[in-house]
C-alpha cells in the first residue's frame, strides 16, 4: 500500500511527502532495491520503522553520502499526531523505470489495518514469485480456492448470500495474476501505484519511425533509378571487360551502405542535441548515459547496414540489368522502365504523409472536444487543498474563516473531489436482495454550491436537518441502475459504516456529472454526509487568483502553524488526465512534419531531375509559343496526380485507425470530413509548391540556354 500527502517532520524541518510506501519486512530481500545503509533483512522488522531514500536523507538530515554521519536511529514525526518513527535505513532513489514509487518505506505492521482479517477489504498489492515449472493456471486455481474458502463466508456474512448465489446473479469476485513485466505497458486497472504506459502508442510510434525510414529509402531508390542513365555507360563498359552482375550489385550495394553508415555520425549528434526537448515533449526520462552503452552502437550500425542494403537493393538490381550492347549504342533512355516503380513509391510516400496528417488533425480535434466538454459542474476557479488532515479538528473553523472573505464564493469539506472519486462500495435498496455497486462521495452541506452541481429531484444536505447524517443522494446513473423513477420513501442499506449495514434515506437526485476521466461514462454514485474529509474545495471569484491564493495560504499558516500548503485546481486536474493523449498529439506533429519534409525532399529532387531531362522539350515548347504557366502545369500535373491518388488511398485507412482510437473514449468527436479535406488539400498544396518552384524555374529559363 502507499500513503500520499503525509506530513513528515524532523527538528525544525517539515515537508509533505507524496510517496510513502508501506511494505512487509522482506521487501528489500524480495525486490532488488538496494540499501546504502541499514540491514535489508531487519530494516522493516517491527513497529514504526522507516527507511528513507537518498533524497529524503539529504532533505531531512543533510546527509552527504556514504561515510557521512549516519541518520540511522534518528527519530522523525509522521503526520499531525504524536506518531514517531525510527530511521533504520537509506535506500537508493527510486529508479525512473520502476512502477513502485517511494520516497520513504514504512513498516507494514505499523498500520493497524494491515492486521485486518477482512478478506473483502482490498487495500494491498501482493507480489509473489512463481516457480518456473508451475503453470500460471495452477496458481490461478489456488487463488480461486482462497476466494471460496475465505472470501465466500465473509460475503455471506455481509450480504446475506452465498458465493454461489452471488455469482449466479452475475457478480464476480476473484483474484487474478499479472506478470510484473506487463504492468507498465499493458495494465489499465484502477488504483495502480503509478500511471502506466500504453503499448498501443509504443507500437504506433514504432510504426511511424519505420515508415519515416522507408520514406528515406524510397527517396534513395527513386533518385538512384532516375539518374540511372548517367551510370549506364559505366555499367556497360564494366560488363564488357568482364565484370559479373553479382560483383556490380555488390558495388552498388556497398555504395548505399556507405551512405547509410556515414549518416550515423550526424544522426548521433542530432540525437544528443534533441534528447532534452524530446524528453520534454514525450514525458520520458531518457538520459545521456545511453551514449556510453556499447550495445547501442552495435544496434545502430547494424541497423544502418540493414537500411543501406534495403535502400540499395532495387537500384543495384536495376542498374546491373542493362545490356552492354544497347548501352554502348546509346539506346538507354533516362529512367527506362523504372518510372512506373517510381510513381508507386511516390504514391506510397504521400500516402503515409497524408495519413499522418489526417490522424494528427483528428487527435487534436478530440483533445479540444474533451477540454471544452461540459462536465456537468463548474470546474473553473475551484481551488482544492488536498492535505486538510493537517488542520485536525479545525477544518470547519478554517472553512468558515475562508467564507468570510469577499473574494471567496464558498468552501466545502469532502473526502474526495473530481476527477479522483474512486471509493466504491455495495448498496442494497430496501425491499430487494439485489446488491448495487456504486461509488461513494462524502461531502458537507456546502458542497453543492461550491462545485456547482445541479439537483434534478429532492434536496441537498442541510445543517438544519440533523437526520441528514443518515441520508443519501444518488446521481441519475444510480437511479437508472436501480430502476427507480422517484425517491419518495426510498431507503438504501450500505455496509460502508458497519458490518451489519445501515439504512439511509434517499433525499435527492443530482444530475449526472463527470467525476472520472472522460474515457468513462458516468457511473452510479451516492453522496453521503461528512464534514471530516481530507479535502477542502474553495470556489474563488473570477480574477486576481494570486491574491486569493495568498490569502488562503496566510489563513492556512495561522491554523496549522506553517505546515506546507498544498493546493491544485480542478480544471488543471482534468486537463492532466489527457497528458498521454496530448503528448501523443505533440509527437504526432513532430513525426508528421518530418515525414512530409522527407517526402517533399524526394519530390523536389525528382522535379529537379525531370526539369533537367526535359530541358530541350521545354525550350522547344517555349519557342513554339507555350506560356510559362502552361509549362508549369505540364511539369506539375503528373506529380499532382500521384498525390491525389495517395490522398484517396489514405482516406479509408486513416478513418479505420482513428475510429478504433476513438473507441477508447466514452465521449468522442465525430471524425467528420474537414480533417480529410484539410489534409488532402494541404498535401496537394505542399506538393505543388515543391514541384512548382522547380517547374517555374525551368519555365522562365532562356530557350537558347
Amino acid at each position: 500500500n502507499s500513503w500520499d500527502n503525509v506530513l513528515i517532520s524532523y527538528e525544525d524541518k517539515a515537508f509533505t511527502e507524496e510517496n510513502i510506501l508501506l511494505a512487509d519486512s522482506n521487501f528489500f530481500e524480495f525486490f532488488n532495491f538496494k540499501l546504502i545503509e541499514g540491514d535489508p533483512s531487519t530494516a522493516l522488522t517491527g513497529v514504526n520503522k522507516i527507511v528513507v531514500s537518498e533524497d529524503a536523507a539529504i532533505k531531512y538530515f543533510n546527509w552527504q553520502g556514504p561515510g557521512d554521519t549516519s541518520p540511522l536511529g534518528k527519530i522523525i514525526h509522521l503526520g499531525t499526531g504524536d506518531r514517531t518513527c525510527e530511521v533504520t535505513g537509506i535506500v537508493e532513489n527510486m529508479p525512473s523505470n520502476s512502477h513502485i514509487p517511494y520516497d520513504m518505506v514504512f513498516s507494514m505492521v505499523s498500520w493497524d489495518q494491515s492486521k485486518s482479517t477482512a478478506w473483502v477489504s482490498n487495500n494491498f498489492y501482493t507480489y509473489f514469485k512463481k516457480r518456473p515449472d508451475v503453470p500460471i493456471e495452477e496458481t490461478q486455481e489456488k487463488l480461486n480456492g482462497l476466494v471460496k474458502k475465505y472470501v465466500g463466508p465473509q460475503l455471506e456474512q455481509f450480504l446475506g448470500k452465498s458465493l454461489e448465489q452471488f455469482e449466479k446473479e452475475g457478480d464476480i469476485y476473484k483474484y487474478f495474476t499479472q506478470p510484473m513485466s506487463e504492468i507498465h505497458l499493458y495494465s489499465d486497472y484502477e488504483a495502480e501505484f503509478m500511471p502506466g504506459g500504453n503499448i498501443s502508442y509504443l507500437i504506433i510510434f514504432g510504426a511511424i519511425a519505420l515508415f519515416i525510414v522507408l520514406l528515406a529509402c524510397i527517396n534513395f531508390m527513386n533518385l538512384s533509378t532516375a539518374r540511372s542513365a548517367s551510370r549506364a555507360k559505366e555499367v556497360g563498359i564494366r560488363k564488357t571487360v568482364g565484370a559479373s552482375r553479382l560483383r556490380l550489385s555488390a558495388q552498388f550495394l556497398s555504395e548505399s551502405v556507405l551512405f547509410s553508415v556515414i549518416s550515423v555520425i550526424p544522426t548521433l549528434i542530432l540525437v544528443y542535441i534533441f534528447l532534452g526537448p524530446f524528453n520534454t515533449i514525450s514525458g520520458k526520462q531518457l538520459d545521456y548515459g545511453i551514449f556510453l552503452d556499447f550495445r547501442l552502437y552495435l544496434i545502430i550500425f547494424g541497423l544502418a547496414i540493414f537500411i543501406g542494403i534495403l535502400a540499395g537493393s532495387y537500384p543495384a538490381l536495376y542498374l546491373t540489368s542493362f545490356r552492354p550492347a544497347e548501352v554502348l549504342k546509346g539506346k538507354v533512355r533516362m529512367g527506362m522502365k523504372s518510372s512506373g516503380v517510381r510513381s508507386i513509391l511516390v504514391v506510397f510516400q504521400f500516402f503515409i504523409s497524408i495519413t499522418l496528417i489526417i490522424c494528427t488533425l483528428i487527435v487534436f480535434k478530440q483533445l479540444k472536444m474533451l477540454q471544452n466538454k461540459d462536465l456537468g459542474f463548474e470546474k473553473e476557479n475551484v481551488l482544492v487543498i488536498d492535505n486538510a488532515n493537517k488542520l485536525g479538528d479545525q477544518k470547519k473553523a478554517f472553512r468558515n474563516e475562508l467564507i468570510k472573505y469577499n473574494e471567496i464564493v464558498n468552501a466545502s469539506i469532502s473526502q474526495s473531489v473530481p476527477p479522483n472519486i474512486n471509493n466504491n462500495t455495495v448498496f442494497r435498496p430496501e425491499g430487494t436482495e439485489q446488491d448495487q455497486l456504486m461509488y461513494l462521495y462524502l461531502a458537507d452541506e456546502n458542497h453543492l454550491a461550491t462545485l456547482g452541481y445541479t439537483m434534478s429531484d429532492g434536496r441537498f444536505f442541510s445543517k438544519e436537518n440533523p437526520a441528514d447524517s443518515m441520508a443519501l443522494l444518488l446521481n441519475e446513473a444510480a437511479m437508472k441502475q436501480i430502476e427507480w423513477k422517484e425517491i419518495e420513501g426510498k431507503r438504501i442499506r450500505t455496509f460502508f459504516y458497519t458490518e451489519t449495514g445501515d439504512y439511509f434515506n434517499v433525499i435527492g437526485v443530482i444530475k449526472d456529472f463527470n467525476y472520472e476521466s472522460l474515457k468513462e461514462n458516468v457511473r452510479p454514485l451516492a453522496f453521503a454526509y461528512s464534514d471530516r474529509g481530507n479535502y477542502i474545495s474553495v470556489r474563488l471569484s473570477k480574477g486576481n487568483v494570486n491574491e486569493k491564493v495568498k490569502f488562503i495560504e496566510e489563513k492556512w499558516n495561522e491554523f496549522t502553524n506553517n505546515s506546507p500548503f498544498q493546493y491544485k485546481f480542478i480544471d488543471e486536474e482534468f486537463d492532466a488526465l489527457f497528458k498521454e493523449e496530448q503528448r501523443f498529439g505533440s509527437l504526432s506533429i513532430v513525426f508528421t512534419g518530418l515525414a512530409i519534409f522527407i517526402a517533399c525532399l524526394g519530390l523536389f529532387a525528382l522535379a529537379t531531375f525531370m526539369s533537367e531531362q526535359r530541358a530541350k522539350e521545354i525550350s522547344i515548347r517555349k519557342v513554339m509559343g507555350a506560356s510559362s504557366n502552361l509549362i508549369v502545369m505540364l511539369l506539375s500535373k503528373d506529380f499532382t496526380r500521384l498525390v491525389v491518388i495517395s490522398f484517396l488511398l489514405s482516406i479509408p485507412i486513416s478513418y479505420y485507425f482513428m475510429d478504433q482510437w476513438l473507441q477508447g473514449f466514452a465521449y468522442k468527436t465525430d471524425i467528420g470530413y474537414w480533417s480529410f479535406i484539410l489534409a488532402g488539400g494541404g498535401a496537394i498544396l505542399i506538393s505543388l509548391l515543391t514541384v512548382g518552384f522547380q517547374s517555374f524555374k525551368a519555365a522562365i529559363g532562356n530557350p537558347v540556354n
Side-chain angles (χ1 to χ4, degrees):
N1 204 300
S2 63
W3 291 341
D4 57 6
N5 297 325
V6 178
L7 180 66
I8 301 291
S9 57
Y10 174 73
E11 295 180 348
D12 60 340
K13 298 179 180 179
F15 301 95
T16 300
E17 297 296 342
E18 294 292 330
N19 296 312
I20 295 186
L21 191 70
L22 286 85
D24 274 339
S25 58
N26 67 344
F27 177 75
F28 294 111
E29 294 178 300
F30 188 90
F31 294 103
N32 61 348
F33 300 122
K34 295 178 182 178
L35 287 186
I36 299 171
E37 292 192 19
D39 185 348
S41 62
T42 61
L44 296 177
T45 301
V47 178
N48 294 334
K49 307 295 182 183
I50 197 163
V51 174
V52 300
S53 67
E54 296 172 85
D55 287 345
I58 295 169
K59 185 165 61 174
Y60 288 94
F61 309 110
N62 296 319
W63 182 68
Q64 300 299 312
D68 189 25
T69 302
S70 175
L72 267 60
K74 298 287 179 69
I75 303 299
I76 62 176
H77 292 266
L78 190 149
T80 55
D82 56 0
R83 184 193 283 266
T84 58
C85 310
E86 179 189 356
V87 178
T88 56
I90 300 176
V91 63
E92 289 183 348
N93 289 330
M94 178 190 72
S96 61
N97 61 344
S98 173
H99 83 284
I100 303 178
Y102 60 76
D103 296 311
M104 299 181 173
V105 186
F106 192 42
S107 56
M108 177 72 78
V109 294
S110 308
W111 189 27
D112 290 339
Q113 195 167 347
S114 69
K115 302 162 190 171
S116 170
T117 58
W119 282 75
V120 292
S121 177
N122 302 298
N123 293 310
F124 307 98
Y125 302 88
T126 302
Y127 295 84
F128 64 91
K129 293 181 180 179
K130 185 182 73 67
R131 280 174 41 189
D133 58 327
V134 177
I136 194 64
E137 292 77 16
E138 188 174 322
T139 304
Q140 187 63 57
E141 282 299 317
K142 297 284 186 183
L143 293 175
N144 295 342
L146 291 178
V147 172
K148 188 173 182 180
K149 183 177 180 179
Y150 296 104
V151 178
Q154 291 191 359
L155 276 178
E156 190 165 2
Q157 176 187 349
F158 295 147
L159 304 180
K161 64 180 71 173
S162 67
L163 182 62
E164 289 76 16
Q165 289 176 301
F166 184 75
E167 291 174 344
K168 282 181 181 177
E169 292 173 359
D171 297 310
I172 298 173
Y173 196 110
K174 68 179 293 186
Y175 298 126
F176 62 93
T177 62
Q178 183 180 34
M180 278 192 66
S181 59
E182 295 183 5
I183 290 175
H184 177 63
L185 290 176
Y186 296 91
S187 177
D188 59 354
Y189 302 113
E190 293 181 0
E192 289 282 15
F193 269 131
M194 292 181 69
N198 189 321
I199 187 63
S200 298
Y201 289 159
L202 194 64
I203 292 171
I204 289 170
F205 287 126
I208 291 174
L210 176 62
F211 284 132
I212 287 174
V213 171
L214 284 176
L215 297 186
C217 292
I218 287 169
N219 280 347
F220 186 86
M221 293 179 189
N222 275 342
L223 297 176
S224 295
T225 55
R227 300 188 66 86
S228 59
S230 63
R231 303 197 68 176
K233 191 168 291 186
E234 173 196 346
V235 172
I237 293 172
R238 287 181 181 276
K239 281 192 171 184
T240 301
V241 297
S244 67
R245 185 173 183 182
L246 181 63
R247 187 179 182 85
L248 288 172
S249 296
Q251 176 197 336
F252 291 125
L253 279 175
S254 64
E255 291 175 4
S256 173
V257 169
L258 184 62
F259 279 126
S260 185
V261 170
I262 290 174
S263 72
V264 168
I265 297 171
T267 294
L268 291 173
I269 294 172
L270 288 174
V271 169
Y272 188 86
I273 293 171
F274 289 110
L275 188 61
F278 175 80
N279 283 341
T280 302
I281 294 173
S282 65
K284 302 303 177 186
Q285 295 178 334
L286 301 176
D287 58 52
Y288 294 102
I290 62 173
F291 290 100
L292 302 176
D293 191 341
F294 180 70
R295 293 172 298 177
L296 174 71
Y297 297 98
L298 290 178
I299 293 171
I300 290 175
F301 280 101
L303 186 62
I305 292 170
F306 173 75
I307 291 172
I309 294 172
L310 178 67
S313 56
Y314 177 71
L317 292 172
Y318 177 71
L319 291 171
T320 57
S321 65
F322 296 161
R323 295 180 181 178
E326 291 183 353
V327 169
L328 297 177
K329 289 178 182 178
K331 292 185 178 180
V332 177
R333 291 179 291 110
M334 303 299 184
M336 298 191 64
K337 298 179 181 178
S338 64
S339 58
V341 176
R342 281 204 304 276
S343 297
I344 293 172
L345 294 178
V346 168
V347 167
F348 179 77
Q349 279 189 314
F350 276 87
F351 162 72
I352 295 299
S353 301
I354 296 171
T355 299
L356 289 176
I357 295 173
I358 293 171
C359 292
T360 301
L361 290 173
I362 294 173
V363 166
F364 276 93
K365 186 180 178 184
Q366 171 69 6
L367 289 176
K368 185 177 180 181
M369 188 276 291
L370 293 176
Q371 289 168 338
N372 296 330
K373 186 184 182 302
D374 180 10
L375 300 176
F377 70 98
E378 300 169 22
K379 66 176 180 176
E380 290 77 18
N381 301 312
V382 180
L383 177 148
V384 177
I385 302 169
D386 58 7
N387 57 341
N389 58 315
K390 295 178 178 58
L391 291 163
D393 57 3
Q394 295 291 303
K395 292 175 186 174
K396 285 191 282 186
F398 176 73
R399 176 198 64 185
N400 295 336
E401 191 69 21
L402 293 182
I403 295 174
K404 293 178 184 178
Y405 184 47
N406 291 334
E407 296 296 325
I408 290 178
V409 179
N410 216 323
S412 166
I413 302 169
S414 63
Q415 189 58 41
S416 52
V417 290
N420 298 309
I421 300 172
N422 51 26
N423 187 18
N424 55 36
T425 189
V426 173
F427 294 84
R428 184 183 298 171
E430 187 177 30
T432 176
E433 293 299 311
Q434 181 65 46
D435 294 310
Q436 307 286 341
L437 184 67
M438 296 189 287
Y439 283 80
L440 183 62
Y441 194 167
L442 304 175
D444 67 8
E445 68 277 4
N446 292 348
H447 208 64
L448 183 77
T450 303
L451 272 294
Y453 301 136
T454 305
M455 299 294 300
S456 64
D457 192 11
R459 64 176 179 84
F460 199 70
F461 304 121
S462 171
K463 59 183 178 182
E464 277 78 37
N465 288 285
D468 282 359
S469 62
M470 295 296 290
L472 286 179
L473 293 99
L474 304 178
N475 69 350
E476 293 172 323
M479 292 288 289
K480 185 177 181 180
Q481 178 173 292
I482 301 173
E483 298 181 348
W484 279 354
K485 301 297 182 184
E486 58 183 24
I487 58 171
E488 186 71 30
K490 302 293 186 182
R491 296 203 307 167
I492 290 183
R493 187 183 185 189
T494 178
F495 301 90
F496 182 77
Y497 296 97
T498 62
E499 293 184 358
T500 56
D502 294 311
Y503 279 102
F504 287 72
N505 295 313
V506 180
I507 62 171
V509 179
I510 290 182
K511 282 190 175 182
D512 283 342
F513 62 91
N514 290 97
Y515 57 89
E516 300 178 279
S517 165
L518 293 179
K519 291 182 178 180
E520 308 289 343
N521 286 306
V522 177
R523 294 193 266 195
L525 176 72
F527 275 83
Y529 181 82
S530 173
D531 56 9
R532 293 178 290 180
N534 291 328
Y535 293 82
I536 295 182
S537 305
V538 185
R539 177 164 290 282
L540 310 175
S541 59
K542 294 181 180 179
N544 299 319
V545 172
N546 292 335
E547 179 184 321
K548 294 159 196 168
V549 171
K550 184 178 179 182
F551 169 80
I552 296 170
E553 184 173 9
E554 289 172 355
K555 288 298 178 184
W556 172 268
N557 291 334
E558 289 177 18
F559 277 82
T560 63
N561 194 23
N562 295 317
S563 288
F565 176 60
Q566 294 181 194
Y567 68 93
K568 57 192 177 185
F569 286 92
I570 285 184
D571 55 351
E572 293 176 354
E573 288 290 293
F574 270 97
D575 289 344
L577 293 176
F578 310 111
K579 273 186 179 178
E580 190 175 18
E581 284 73 23
Q582 288 167 346
R583 289 168 183 158
F584 177 61
S586 299
L587 286 173
S588 296
I589 288 178
V590 173
F591 288 137
T592 300
L594 186 58
I596 293 170
F597 177 70
I598 292 173
C600 288
L601 274 181
L603 204 60
F604 184 84
L606 279 177
T608 303
F609 176 75
M610 295 305 293
S611 298
E612 291 174 0
Q613 299 308 312
R614 300 178 70 176
K616 190 171 291 186
E617 174 193 346
I618 294 169
S619 301
I620 294 172
R621 287 182 181 275
K622 289 196 71 173
V623 170
M624 298 297 291
S627 66
S628 296
N629 290 338
L630 184 63
I631 292 173
V632 169
M633 289 180 60
L634 177 70
L635 294 174
S636 302
K637 68 176 183 180
D638 289 338
F639 291 112
T640 303
R641 186 176 70 250
L642 296 178
V643 175
V644 170
I645 293 171
S646 304
F647 168 58
L648 295 175
L649 291 174
S650 69
I651 292 175
I653 299 296
S654 53
Y655 183 93
Y656 172 78
F657 281 112
M658 282 294 96
D659 183 61
Q660 293 297 307
W661 181 71
L662 289 171
Q663 296 306 315
F665 297 87
Y667 305 91
K668 43 185 175 284
T669 185
D670 62 300
I671 294 179
Y673 55 85
W674 275 110
S675 298
F676 298 94
I677 293 175
L678 288 173
I684 292 170
L685 179 62
I686 290 170
S687 65
L688 282 174
L689 291 173
T690 303
V691 176
F693 174 77
Q694 281 299 336
S695 300
F696 182 72
K697 186 178 175 183
I700 62 174
N702 191 329
V704 175
N705 295 329

